[in-house]
mmCIF file of all heavy atoms in Angstrom:
data_model
loop_
_atom_site.group_PDB
_atom_site.id
_atom_site.type_symbol
_atom_site.label_atom_id
_atom_site.label_comp_id
_atom_site.label_asym_id
_atom_site.label_seq_id
_atom_site.Cartn_x
_atom_site.Cartn_y
_atom_site.Cartn_z
ATOM 1 N N THR A 11 74.494 89.448 114.038
ATOM 2 C CA THR A 11 74.659 89.013 115.424
ATOM 3 C C THR A 11 76.143 88.993 115.773
ATOM 4 O O THR A 11 76.967 88.492 114.988
ATOM 5 C CB THR A 11 74.059 87.610 115.633
ATOM 6 O OG1 THR A 11 72.628 87.708 115.585
ATOM 7 C CG2 THR A 11 74.456 87.026 116.981
ATOM 8 N N VAL A 12 76.468 89.544 116.921
ATOM 9 C CA VAL A 12 77.826 89.490 117.455
ATOM 10 C C VAL A 12 77.801 88.573 118.671
ATOM 11 O O VAL A 12 77.086 88.843 119.642
ATOM 12 C CB VAL A 12 78.345 90.885 117.842
ATOM 13 C CG1 VAL A 12 79.773 90.789 118.384
ATOM 14 C CG2 VAL A 12 78.288 91.835 116.644
ATOM 15 N N GLY A 62 69.833 104.957 113.522
ATOM 16 C CA GLY A 62 68.550 104.338 113.833
ATOM 17 C C GLY A 62 68.597 102.848 114.071
ATOM 18 O O GLY A 62 67.603 102.248 114.500
ATOM 19 N N VAL A 68 71.142 89.780 124.312
ATOM 20 C CA VAL A 68 70.617 88.473 124.711
ATOM 21 C C VAL A 68 71.665 87.779 125.587
ATOM 22 O O VAL A 68 72.744 87.429 125.103
ATOM 23 C CB VAL A 68 70.303 87.586 123.483
ATOM 24 C CG1 VAL A 68 69.699 86.264 123.938
ATOM 25 C CG2 VAL A 68 69.375 88.289 122.507
ATOM 26 N N VAL A 81 74.508 88.039 108.931
ATOM 27 C CA VAL A 81 75.938 87.969 109.242
ATOM 28 C C VAL A 81 76.073 87.642 110.722
ATOM 29 O O VAL A 81 75.325 88.178 111.550
ATOM 30 C CB VAL A 81 76.661 89.309 108.954
ATOM 31 C CG1 VAL A 81 78.174 89.133 109.060
ATOM 32 C CG2 VAL A 81 76.293 89.868 107.590
ATOM 33 N N VAL A 82 77.028 86.770 111.056
ATOM 34 C CA VAL A 82 77.333 86.478 112.458
ATOM 35 C C VAL A 82 78.840 86.665 112.664
ATOM 36 O O VAL A 82 79.649 86.084 111.930
ATOM 37 C CB VAL A 82 76.927 85.042 112.854
ATOM 38 C CG1 VAL A 82 77.347 84.762 114.302
ATOM 39 C CG2 VAL A 82 75.427 84.833 112.675
ATOM 40 N N LEU A 100 94.335 77.408 121.895
ATOM 41 C CA LEU A 100 93.708 76.494 120.938
ATOM 42 C C LEU A 100 92.623 75.617 121.556
ATOM 43 O O LEU A 100 91.463 75.675 121.149
ATOM 44 C CB LEU A 100 94.774 75.623 120.258
ATOM 45 C CG LEU A 100 94.259 74.655 119.188
ATOM 46 C CD1 LEU A 100 93.559 75.406 118.067
ATOM 47 C CD2 LEU A 100 95.388 73.818 118.614
ATOM 48 N N ARG A 108 83.289 75.804 118.676
ATOM 49 C CA ARG A 108 82.482 74.709 118.124
ATOM 50 C C ARG A 108 81.027 74.837 118.587
ATOM 51 O O ARG A 108 80.098 74.714 117.787
ATOM 52 C CB ARG A 108 83.056 73.347 118.544
ATOM 53 C CG ARG A 108 82.207 72.170 118.042
ATOM 54 C CD ARG A 108 82.811 70.837 118.419
ATOM 55 N NE ARG A 108 83.962 70.470 117.600
ATOM 56 C CZ ARG A 108 83.891 69.994 116.361
ATOM 57 N NH1 ARG A 108 82.719 69.845 115.773
ATOM 58 N NH2 ARG A 108 84.981 69.666 115.707
ATOM 59 N N VAL A 122 76.407 84.504 106.749
ATOM 60 C CA VAL A 122 77.847 84.565 106.490
ATOM 61 C C VAL A 122 78.516 84.727 107.852
ATOM 62 O O VAL A 122 78.106 85.569 108.656
ATOM 63 C CB VAL A 122 78.204 85.753 105.578
ATOM 64 C CG1 VAL A 122 79.719 85.929 105.483
ATOM 65 C CG2 VAL A 122 77.603 85.560 104.189
ATOM 66 N N SER A 127 87.916 84.799 116.791
ATOM 67 C CA SER A 127 88.501 84.122 117.959
ATOM 68 C C SER A 127 89.878 83.548 117.596
ATOM 69 O O SER A 127 90.093 83.080 116.474
ATOM 70 C CB SER A 127 87.580 82.989 118.415
ATOM 71 O OG SER A 127 86.239 83.439 118.557
ATOM 72 N N GLY A 142 79.106 73.354 108.974
ATOM 73 C CA GLY A 142 78.802 72.641 107.740
ATOM 74 C C GLY A 142 78.451 73.579 106.601
ATOM 75 O O GLY A 142 77.971 73.145 105.546
ATOM 76 N N MET A 149 84.591 82.982 106.984
ATOM 77 C CA MET A 149 85.907 83.615 106.814
ATOM 78 C C MET A 149 86.381 84.159 108.149
ATOM 79 O O MET A 149 85.617 84.256 109.115
ATOM 80 C CB MET A 149 85.844 84.721 105.763
ATOM 81 C CG MET A 149 84.799 85.782 106.012
ATOM 82 S SD MET A 149 84.749 86.991 104.663
ATOM 83 C CE MET A 149 83.071 87.598 104.829
ATOM 84 N N THR A 157 97.163 94.364 108.323
ATOM 85 C CA THR A 157 97.478 95.382 107.314
ATOM 86 C C THR A 157 97.354 96.778 107.919
ATOM 87 O O THR A 157 98.200 97.654 107.676
ATOM 88 C CB THR A 157 96.551 95.206 106.096
ATOM 89 O OG1 THR A 157 96.840 93.944 105.481
ATOM 90 C CG2 THR A 157 96.759 96.308 105.069
ATOM 91 N N ALA A 165 103.443 104.692 108.710
ATOM 92 C CA ALA A 165 103.094 106.112 108.820
ATOM 93 C C ALA A 165 103.803 106.772 110.007
ATOM 94 O O ALA A 165 104.319 107.892 109.896
ATOM 95 C CB ALA A 165 101.581 106.263 108.953
ATOM 96 N N ALA A 173 96.691 107.978 105.543
ATOM 97 C CA ALA A 173 95.997 107.931 104.246
ATOM 98 C C ALA A 173 96.963 107.882 103.068
ATOM 99 O O ALA A 173 96.577 107.462 101.965
ATOM 100 C CB ALA A 173 95.072 109.140 104.097
ATOM 101 N N GLY A 184 99.768 85.241 112.846
ATOM 102 C CA GLY A 184 100.697 84.706 113.837
ATOM 103 C C GLY A 184 102.109 84.688 113.292
ATOM 104 O O GLY A 184 102.501 85.544 112.503
ATOM 105 N N THR A 206 114.969 102.079 104.304
ATOM 106 C CA THR A 206 116.063 101.134 104.094
ATOM 107 C C THR A 206 115.560 99.711 104.386
ATOM 108 O O THR A 206 114.600 99.536 105.147
ATOM 109 C CB THR A 206 117.248 101.439 105.024
ATOM 110 O OG1 THR A 206 116.796 101.340 106.383
ATOM 111 C CG2 THR A 206 117.796 102.841 104.772
ATOM 112 N N PRO A 207 116.210 98.694 103.821
ATOM 113 C CA PRO A 207 115.785 97.311 104.060
ATOM 114 C C PRO A 207 115.712 96.941 105.535
ATOM 115 O O PRO A 207 114.807 96.217 105.953
ATOM 116 C CB PRO A 207 116.851 96.490 103.329
ATOM 117 C CG PRO A 207 117.345 97.392 102.244
ATOM 118 C CD PRO A 207 117.306 98.774 102.833
ATOM 119 N N GLY A 220 102.343 92.682 116.538
ATOM 120 C CA GLY A 220 101.483 93.813 116.885
ATOM 121 C C GLY A 220 100.511 93.527 118.005
ATOM 122 O O GLY A 220 100.300 94.354 118.901
ATOM 123 N N VAL A 224 100.410 95.084 122.140
ATOM 124 C CA VAL A 224 99.257 95.653 122.847
ATOM 125 C C VAL A 224 98.984 94.875 124.137
ATOM 126 O O VAL A 224 98.765 95.471 125.195
ATOM 127 C CB VAL A 224 98.004 95.653 121.935
ATOM 128 C CG1 VAL A 224 96.763 96.099 122.714
ATOM 129 C CG2 VAL A 224 98.214 96.558 120.725
ATOM 130 N N SER A 238 88.060 95.302 116.143
ATOM 131 C CA SER A 238 86.617 95.452 115.929
ATOM 132 C C SER A 238 86.336 96.274 114.675
ATOM 133 O O SER A 238 85.361 96.016 113.965
ATOM 134 C CB SER A 238 85.959 96.108 117.149
ATOM 135 O OG SER A 238 86.392 97.445 117.326
ATOM 136 N N VAL A 255 87.470 94.463 97.954
ATOM 137 C CA VAL A 255 88.586 93.516 98.064
ATOM 138 C C VAL A 255 89.331 93.806 99.363
ATOM 139 O O VAL A 255 89.806 94.923 99.583
ATOM 140 C CB VAL A 255 89.526 93.618 96.847
ATOM 141 C CG1 VAL A 255 90.741 92.711 97.037
ATOM 142 C CG2 VAL A 255 88.779 93.245 95.569
ATOM 143 N N ASP A 263 91.940 77.434 97.292
ATOM 144 C CA ASP A 263 91.849 76.156 96.570
ATOM 145 C C ASP A 263 92.423 76.305 95.164
ATOM 146 O O ASP A 263 91.692 76.368 94.181
ATOM 147 C CB ASP A 263 90.380 75.697 96.511
ATOM 148 C CG ASP A 263 90.267 74.177 96.434
ATOM 149 O OD1 ASP A 263 91.262 73.498 96.740
ATOM 150 O OD2 ASP A 263 89.196 73.682 96.068
ATOM 151 N N TYR A 272 92.566 77.249 104.954
ATOM 152 C CA TYR A 272 92.153 78.615 105.262
ATOM 153 C C TYR A 272 93.410 79.450 105.485
ATOM 154 O O TYR A 272 94.263 79.087 106.293
ATOM 155 C CB TYR A 272 91.278 78.658 106.521
ATOM 156 C CG TYR A 272 89.805 78.552 106.231
ATOM 157 C CD1 TYR A 272 89.130 77.352 106.388
ATOM 158 C CD2 TYR A 272 89.086 79.655 105.770
ATOM 159 C CE1 TYR A 272 87.767 77.257 106.114
ATOM 160 C CE2 TYR A 272 87.732 79.573 105.493
ATOM 161 C CZ TYR A 272 87.076 78.374 105.663
ATOM 162 O OH TYR A 272 85.741 78.288 105.380
ATOM 163 N N VAL A 284 82.763 85.164 100.635
ATOM 164 C CA VAL A 284 83.910 85.330 99.732
ATOM 165 C C VAL A 284 83.463 84.985 98.308
ATOM 166 O O VAL A 284 83.173 83.837 98.003
ATOM 167 C CB VAL A 284 85.084 84.418 100.152
ATOM 168 C CG1 VAL A 284 86.217 84.495 99.125
ATOM 169 C CG2 VAL A 284 85.598 84.820 101.527
ATOM 170 N N ASP A 291 100.210 90.213 92.485
ATOM 171 C CA ASP A 291 101.615 89.935 92.184
ATOM 172 C C ASP A 291 102.427 89.908 93.467
ATOM 173 O O ASP A 291 102.335 90.828 94.285
ATOM 174 C CB ASP A 291 102.182 91.016 91.251
ATOM 175 C CG ASP A 291 101.547 90.958 89.869
ATOM 176 O OD1 ASP A 291 101.161 89.850 89.443
ATOM 177 O OD2 ASP A 291 101.432 92.014 89.219
ATOM 178 N N VAL A 307 99.910 76.274 108.633
ATOM 179 C CA VAL A 307 98.517 76.370 109.061
ATOM 180 C C VAL A 307 97.752 75.094 108.730
ATOM 181 O O VAL A 307 96.924 74.627 109.513
ATOM 182 C CB VAL A 307 97.845 77.599 108.404
ATOM 183 C CG1 VAL A 307 96.346 77.580 108.643
ATOM 184 C CG2 VAL A 307 98.436 78.894 108.950
ATOM 185 N N SER A 309 98.668 71.983 108.680
ATOM 186 C CA SER A 309 98.894 70.888 109.631
ATOM 187 C C SER A 309 98.122 71.124 110.928
ATOM 188 O O SER A 309 97.584 70.193 111.520
ATOM 189 C CB SER A 309 100.391 70.735 109.919
ATOM 190 O OG SER A 309 100.895 71.897 110.545
#
Side-chain angles (χ1 to χ4, degrees):
T11 288
V12 181
V68 183
V81 190
V82 177
L100 182 59
R108 177 178 284 283
V122 172
S127 310
M149 55 183 156
T157 295
T206 60
V224 174
S238 66
V255 175
D263 208 17
Y272 268 100
V284 174
D291 293 330
V307 170
S309 63

